[in-house]
Amino acid sequence: MREEISDMSEDDETGERARWAPDLSKNRSDDSDSGPGPPIGDSPPPFSDQILENVLENVLEFLTSRRDRNSASAVCRSWYRAEAQTRRELFIGNCYAVAPHRAVERFQSIKSVVLKGKPRFADFNLVPFGWGAHFEPWVKSFGAAYRHLERICLKRMSVTDKDLTIIAESFPLFKDLTLICCEGFSTFGLAVIAERCRHLRVLDLIEDYLEDEDDEVVDWISRFPETTTSLESLVFDCVSCPFNFDALERLVARSPSLQRLRVNHHVALEQLRRLMARAPQLTHLGTGTFRSGAGFGEVDPNLDLVSAFGASRSLVCLSGFREIEPEFLPAIYPICANLTSLNFSFANLTAEELNPVIRRCHNLQTFWVLDSVGDEGLQAVAETCRDLRELRVFPLDPSEDSDSSVSDIGLQFISEGCRKLRSILYFCQRMTNAAVVAMSKNCPDLVVFRLCIMGRHLPDRITGEPMDAGFRAIVMNCKKLTRLSVSGLLTDKAFEYIGCYGKLIRTLSVAFAGDSDGGLRYVLEGCTRLQKLEIRDSPFGDASLISGLPFYYNMRFLWMSSCNLSMRGCKEVARNKPNLVVEVIRDGVEEEEEEEIEAVEKLYLYRSLAGARTDAPAFVKIL
Amino acid sequence: MEGEAPRLLDLIPKERDWVGKEVCKVKNEIEEKLELRLGLPGEDNEKEEKQSAKSAFSLSFSENVSKRAFLGSVETNEGKGTERKASGAPPEAHGTRNINSSIANNSSQTRISNAPVVGWPPIRSFRKNLASSSISKSPLETQDGGPVKVNEVDINKKGCFVKINMDGIPIGRKIDLKAYGGYDELSSAVDQLFRGLLAAQRVPLVNEKSGGEKNQEIKGLLDGSGEYTLVYEDEEGDRVLVGDVPWKMFISTAKRLRVLKTSDLSVSSINTVSRKRAATEC
């Protein structure tokens, strides 16, 4: 759980309008489809201006914020050029918003790329396999243009082994590969990276899905260079296939800079102990499992484990803990006070087992846990973790009828104890408005509020009223709120409040909520900073979709599935806004299906300079 | 917005929820094809909320619907064009318990029946199946991944899965012997596995009152006292009564399980371990 991950999910980027692309709401007379500034290939400026540009470039080197850079590029041609020369990090929030060659033509000295692909609802199986977000065209363009590229960070992209090979071959200075929620590659590609990227510092594989067949797994760990490496971070807990442990142990031993290591579930405690002995300088450790590899009734490694953790004075972040055997948990007690981040979201522990750990974690700022912690466990968190900034409570049994042990009571505790809370993700079965209101008042620093009442359309547990009042309080009182996920029984009123007060909201997720078109209208008209809107199973129809026409160019995307949309409405949007790509996604489509179904099941629309993409599969219809 | 697909008739009623053991996914596809529903022809599973009408039978039938089986079938449907392998269809190992309590809940809630929906609750697939993860404990050398991971594509190669068939039930299942600590756990798992199916076989088709709670527990599997007896086949193909050898030895030698009618067992057809040993020693 590095900070970067939280940033990615909350989408910290401040460039609300993808400002490096043109400001599409204004009418530009000189060039309609490139940025504010001259078309490529303008004649060089006079000499005095060149000096000024050089000076400017030296100054702009220090400008790192994306938003500032976008503003600077809009000042005049000279600044546009200078900014383009000095930009080092390229951030592209939607890989289909611009064609690779345009990015590469404008920015010529990029060292770091962040690229995002599929909409977030792809994580929940709402986007059919094969939809797109292929890294290939990008890596080919980058490979040709950016000799000095050092870092690539991809989220929800489809990445193949061939793409990884191109990375390994094209960038001699390559240092950092971070893949989040990606798919399409295998251990073969990892082996190529390990072997050829001699300066690799970071290899972080986070929640990816690898393609390995059991008999084709490659021993990629062994492919790292035999000499001392510059590895600082190696995260591979999502790589589910077995690996060569001895090779890993040797690799860790010859990587003196290693700070972050997260292994997969093929590591038992005896092995973990050995790894920790090799790398006492670790700051972030993912344990894989937390059980003994021995069979029943064999050697108890507990003593060694205690000293292993005792010796790891630098550990501030712990995660893993799959298949946990609770009798080994006391081994971590000595270091709890040092922890700022603890991820127990795979540890099926009771509240009693968690309590001694929680009670020792005075300095915790980030805590991820399963709902087996219970309301009483959250009370312990509230009493102990006064510095908590981020809390995520996941369901042990993610279904609508499971017995969740957390409720409004736990939320109330947290709100009273953890006043500095900035980000919360809370899965529960029932909730009350009162608890949500309490949180809105007690935690004014909230930036991210994501509440998931797993039962659909459930009202306040005690009063039976809709949850409108709770969310109203959130948007009214939490003045820094930029990300909101709503749930429970919600009427249009809730959206009226969100539109009225949620002026900083950039990301809004809606499911099974609202009464009529009015709800969506309120949001589109009111939330002026809205960037990403994802809606499912809510009764919003064509009228509300069309009401958003003035605003879609200011947003990155809109996703609507299982709402009341029809082709007529979607076509009108497409007709009206030429720089919007309007995708209608169907499930289970046969190739020869000619007749059009009027009802639109899934709509994904996004602004784009690149026009309709050419790699859309058969089940995607671009209007 | 609230219509759920009512299950008017289930030709093969779905099995009840049981806690965390593996199941054959194929069955779900068969069930899905055979189930009759009220709704427009050719409608998708996912469209049930918008297009289906409520029916008087829906409330009582929803109680019988195993969410996991439905979820499996929805996911399978989705799987044709969507996320494939294990990432798309969450392995059926996690149970949604308390169908009985959901009956009580239904009357007091404003929402209607609990047919699950794709992608809800919004949890990524690798976070599912955590409830069963702590049960499996096995030596690391066998590379048994346990049921936790999302990427467990081919479950045949991991764990110790054996087929289990029950007399009178056409479709067998698969269970992971390593997931149990002993014979009692195994027996109770078999009971839960087949209880619903057995009840369905007995009850005439058109009877919506055949609620899950009336199913008879399958008892006495190990000691011959019940209507059924648990039997296994070893490497040589012989049938042996379950329960005589130490558990660990049983896991390593059992290749297949059967649940036979006790009345069908004759003294001569079934070996006990002691008789087998005597035979080989002669």
Side-chain angles (χ1 to χ4, degrees):
Chain A
M1 285 145 22
R2 282 157 56 188
E3 292 66 27
E4 286 87 339
I5 300 173
S6 297
D7 287 352
M8 288 289 260
S9 61
E10 271 73 59
D11 217 45
D12 189 34
E13 44 105 8
T14 50
E16 313 77 78
R17 291 172 172 224
R19 291 290 294 272
W20 70 271
D23 188 346
L24 292 167
S25 56
K26 296 197 191 121
N27 219 354
R28 290 241 147 228
S29 54
D30 53 353
D31 194 9
S32 63
D33 69 341
S34 68
I40 315 291
D42 203 12
S43 56
F47 184 63
S48 54
D49 286 345
Q50 280 180 18
I51 295 179
L52 274 174
E53 260 183 49
N54 287 340
V55 170
L56 189 59
E57 280 178 20
N58 285 320
V59 171
L60 288 181
E61 285 279 353
F62 296 98
L63 206 62
T64 49
S65 145
R66 255 188 344 261
R67 179 204 276 179
D68 291 345
R69 283 198 156 265
N70 291 336
S71 305
S73 70
V75 169
C76 65
R77 291 178 188 186
S78 178
W79 281 57
Y80 177 88
R81 276 193 298 266
E83 193 282 314
Q85 286 303 316
T86 54
R87 189 179 292 227
R88 298 288 171 253
E89 173 171 313
L90 186 61
F91 174 91
I92 296 173
N94 176 3
C95 63
Y96 287 123
V98 66
H101 73 87
R102 284 194 64 152
V104 157
E105 275 162 20
R106 177 172 169 184
F107 302 108
Q108 308 200 333
S109 319
I110 296 292
K111 286 194 177 165
S112 162
V113 171
V114 177
L115 188 55
K116 297 190 186 181
K118 300 175 205 167
R120 193 179 73 99
F121 276 1
D123 293 349
F124 315 124
N125 302 342
L126 290 180
V127 175
F129 178 73
W131 173 82
H134 303 288
F135 185 46
E136 187 186 353
W138 291 93
V139 73
K140 285 183 170 162
S141 294
F142 294 153
Y146 295 147
R147 189 101 181 107
H148 299 282
L149 192 64
E150 295 180 0
R151 176 178 178 243
I152 291 176
C153 177
L154 305 177
K155 188 168 187 182
R156 293 196 192 94
M157 299 284 298
S158 182
V159 182
T160 62
D161 289 337
K162 190 162 162 240
D163 300 333
L164 295 179
T165 306
I166 295 177
I167 292 177
E169 288 170 352
S170 310
F171 310 119
L173 301 177
F174 196 69
K175 295 193 171 78
D176 180 332
L177 181 63
T178 302
L179 301 176
I180 304 173
C181 299
C182 296
E183 41 85 14
F185 61 98
S186 74
T187 49
F188 178 83
L190 296 182
V192 175
I193 295 283
E195 188 167 350
R196 303 209 213 161
C197 300
R198 314 295 284 189
H199 303 281
L200 198 66
R201 292 194 189 161
V202 173
L203 181 57
D204 283 356
L205 307 168
I206 298 161
E207 297 177 12
D208 305 305
Y209 177 70
L210 273 78
E211 295 287 331
D212 286 298
E213 297 294 330
D214 279 339
D215 47 357
E216 289 169 9
V217 172
V218 173
D219 180 5
W220 57 284
I221 298 271
S222 300
R223 305 286 254 268
F224 282 95
E226 285 296 326
T227 56
T228 304
T229 77
S230 35
L231 269 182
E232 294 168 13
S233 176
L234 181 60
V235 172
F236 64 95
D237 48 336
C238 65
V239 179
S240 64
C241 48
F243 64 93
N244 184 339
F245 178 79
D246 291 334
L248 178 67
E249 191 177 0
R250 287 195 303 272
L251 174 65
V252 168
R254 64 180 189 276
S255 304
S257 309
L258 194 67
Q259 307 249 281
R260 298 192 289 271
L261 177 65
R262 296 198 175 116
V263 298
N264 70 15
H265 66 106
H266 290 285
V267 173
L269 284 171
E270 292 81 358
Q271 296 163 306
L272 186 72
R273 186 181 50 76
R274 284 156 62 182
L275 291 175
M276 291 173 74
R278 298 285 187 181
Q281 76 282 5
L282 284 178
T283 56
H284 295 58
L285 177 63
T287 70
T289 65
F290 209 72
R291 62 178 171 109
S292 167
F296 294 97
E298 293 189 24
V299 173
D300 177 12
N302 205 4
L303 273 176
D304 275 328
L305 202 59
V306 169
S307 61
F309 276 102
S312 301
R313 292 266 136 230
S314 323
L315 278 179
V316 295
C317 173
L318 276 185
S319 59
F321 299 105
R322 295 177 184 267
E323 302 167 43
I324 186 168
E325 287 169 2
E327 62 262 35
F328 296 114
L329 205 48
I332 74 168
Y333 292 172
I335 59 156
C336 283
N338 299 340
L339 292 180
T340 55
S341 171
L342 182 55
N343 180 353
F344 269 153
S345 64
F346 295 101
N348 188 356
L349 295 168
T350 64
E352 289 77 29
E353 288 156 348
L354 282 164
N355 197 36
V357 175
I358 293 173
R359 292 285 178 193
R360 288 172 164 83
C361 290
H362 306 281
N363 292 314
L364 213 55
Q365 295 187 11
T366 301
F367 188 41
W368 292 16
V369 71
L370 289 175
D371 62 3
S372 53
V373 68
D375 287 332
E376 64 274 24
L378 292 178
Q379 184 178 20
V381 172
E383 288 170 2
T384 315
C385 311
R386 300 304 223 169
D387 215 18
L388 199 68
R389 311 295 165 103
E390 177 178 327
L391 175 67
R392 296 196 192 190
V393 180
F394 294 97
L396 176 61
D397 179 3
S399 69
E400 293 181 59
D401 290 317
S402 62
D403 293 328
S404 175
S405 321
V406 301
S407 69
D408 46 281
I409 297 170
L411 193 71
Q412 179 89 27
F413 282 139
I414 293 290
S415 77
E416 287 163 6
C418 307
R419 299 298 179 107
K420 299 186 192 171
L421 202 65
R422 289 191 198 146
S423 169
I424 182 164
L425 169 62
Y426 199 84
F427 282 86
C428 58
Q429 285 292 346
R430 301 307 297 267
M431 184 50 58
T432 62
N433 281 308
V436 178
V437 170
M439 174 150 277
S440 77
K441 291 183 176 159
N442 293 334
C443 305
D445 288 340
L446 272 179
V447 173
V448 173
F449 185 79
R450 298 159 70 188
L451 176 65
C452 182
I453 304 170
M454 290 194 280
R456 288 166 274 161
H457 309 294
L458 288 186
D460 182 312
R461 170 175 75 84
I462 293 175
T463 67
E465 287 172 358
M467 293 299 298
D468 297 346
F471 286 103
R472 173 176 187 248
I474 289 286
V475 289
M476 270 181 67
N477 299 334
C478 302
K479 312 247 190 292
K480 304 179 187 175
L481 197 75
T482 59
R483 181 171 180 181
L484 180 65
S485 294
V486 300
S487 61
L489 180 66
L490 294 171
T491 70
D492 283 349
K493 273 265 167 216
F495 297 103
E496 186 182 349
Y497 301 139
I498 293 172
C500 180
Y501 299 108
K503 295 303 183 188
L504 292 185
I505 292 179
R506 289 202 298 268
T507 307
L508 179 64
S509 303
V510 176
F512 305 100
D515 304 319
S516 73
D517 286 339
L520 179 54
R521 210 177 208 139
Y522 286 130
V523 167
L524 289 170
E525 289 170 1
C527 297
T528 46
R529 293 278 181 98
L530 195 60
Q531 287 291 288
K532 300 185 285 181
L533 181 56
E534 46 190 27
I535 302 174
R536 63 168 294 177
D537 295 276
S538 300
F540 305 135
D542 290 344
S544 60
L545 184 70
I546 289 165
S547 74
L549 278 175
F551 314 111
Y552 293 139
Y553 280 163
N554 295 339
M555 291 168 56
R556 187 186 294 173
F557 73 78
L558 168 66
W559 168 282
M560 288 178 71
S561 59
S562 304
C563 298
N564 290 345
L565 299 176
S566 77
M567 290 298 266
R568 187 194 62 80
C570 298
K571 281 179 177 166
E572 183 166 341
V573 171
R575 204 180 316 129
N576 243 289
K577 294 284 170 187
N579 282 320
L580 271 191
V581 174
V582 179
E583 294 192 13
V584 171
I585 301 168
R586 297 167 289 173
D587 289 316
V589 159
E590 285 82 38
E591 309 299 330
E592 305 87 42
E593 194 168 299
E594 284 301 327
E595 43 168 287
E596 218 167 61
I597 304 172
E598 186 58 22
V600 165
E601 180 57 29
K602 292 176 184 170
L603 168 75
Y604 181 52
L605 64 82
Y606 49 91
R607 67 184 168 196
S608 174
L609 298 175
R613 58 186 173 114
T614 50
D615 63 357
F619 54 82
V620 171
K621 188 174 160 95
I622 298 183
L623 303 179
Chain B
M1 268 306 295
E2 293 195 330
E4 308 289 354
R7 306 281 176 266
L8 185 56
L9 291 174
D10 281 350
L11 288 186
I12 298 182
K14 312 229 174 17
E15 64 277 18
R16 285 217 344 187
D17 290 317
W18 36 270
V19 181
K21 310 305 179 284
E22 296 314 306
V23 69
C24 185
K25 284 181 194 172
V26 172
K27 180 159 199 302
N28 295 324
E29 287 192 60
I30 296 172
E31 282 172 344
E32 188 208 11
K33 286 181 194 143
L34 290 176
E35 98 195 306
L36 294 183
R37 283 184 280 148
L38 203 64
L40 298 179
E43 73 173 314
D44 219 0
N45 278 335
E46 294 163 32
K47 293 194 176 127
E48 76 262 12
E49 290 194 347
K50 283 192 293 189
Q51 292 171 3
S52 58
K54 284 191 208 178
S55 111
F57 303 111
S58 70
L59 197 58
S60 50
F61 259 89
S62 65
E63 298 144 23
N64 280 336
V65 172
S66 159
K67 285 163 206 33
R68 207 170 349 84
F70 178 73
L71 190 63
S73 68
V74 169
E75 300 283 335
T76 314
N77 201 22
E78 183 95 4
K80 285 174 198 148
T82 69
E83 311 281 359
R84 69 281 185 279
K85 298 189 188 175
S87 74
E92 280 86 347
H94 73 278
T96 55
R97 304 173 208 121
N98 301 323
I99 287 210
N100 291 336
S101 65
S102 77
I103 299 165
N105 285 341
N106 268 339
S107 52
S108 57
Q109 288 165 2
T110 52
R111 68 194 171 104
I112 52 141
S113 65
N114 308 324
V117 173
V118 173
W120 187 263
I123 292 282
R124 294 181 185 145
S125 34
F126 64 86
R127 286 198 178 278
K128 298 185 177 173
N129 310 320
L130 294 173
S132 52
S133 68
S134 51
I135 298 174
S136 75
K137 177 191 164 99
S138 51
L140 211 56
E141 294 75 41
T142 63
Q143 294 298 358
D144 174 55
V148 159
K149 296 304 292 180
V150 64
N151 296 330
E152 295 294 279
V153 176
D154 188 357
I155 57 174
N156 283 328
K157 293 191 186 158
K158 307 193 201 294
C160 186
F161 288 90
V162 295
K163 282 192 187 169
I164 175 167
N165 284 81
M166 183 162 185
D167 260 0
I169 295 180
I171 297 172
R173 327 243 7 126
K174 260 191 177 168
I175 57 173
D176 178 5
L177 291 181
K178 289 206 170 115
Y180 309 109
Y183 287 117
D184 289 333
E185 277 185 49
L186 174 64
S187 172
S188 113
V190 170
D191 165 37
Q192 293 186 31
L193 198 51
F194 285 113
R195 195 194 292 188
L197 290 173
L198 203 56
Q201 302 285 91
R202 288 176 178 150
V203 169
L205 290 179
V206 188
N207 179 7
E208 65 266 20
K209 289 288 192 291
S210 64
E213 62 274 31
K214 286 195 183 168
N215 285 347
Q216 294 298 319
E217 194 184 334
I218 305 172
K219 292 191 284 247
L221 285 167
L222 301 172
D223 54 13
S225 63
E227 197 184 333
Y228 290 89
T229 298
L230 193 56
V231 149
Y232 73 97
E233 287 172 13
D234 62 12
E235 286 130 341
E236 293 157 18
D238 295 326
R239 289 190 181 180
V240 187
L241 279 177
V242 164
D244 287 337
V245 301
W247 175 251
K248 279 176 107 173
M249 192 189 300
F250 166 70
I251 295 181
S252 56
T253 55
K255 294 296 165 231
R256 203 199 160 97
L257 290 177
R258 289 188 189 279
V259 185
L260 303 176
K261 275 211 156 88
T262 310
S263 53
D264 286 344
L265 298 176
S266 61
V267 176
S268 54
S269 69
I270 294 296
N271 291 325
T272 60
V273 171
S274 52
R275 188 154 15 105
K276 218 166 124 61
R277 277 205 204 111
T280 54
E281 280 158 14
C282 284

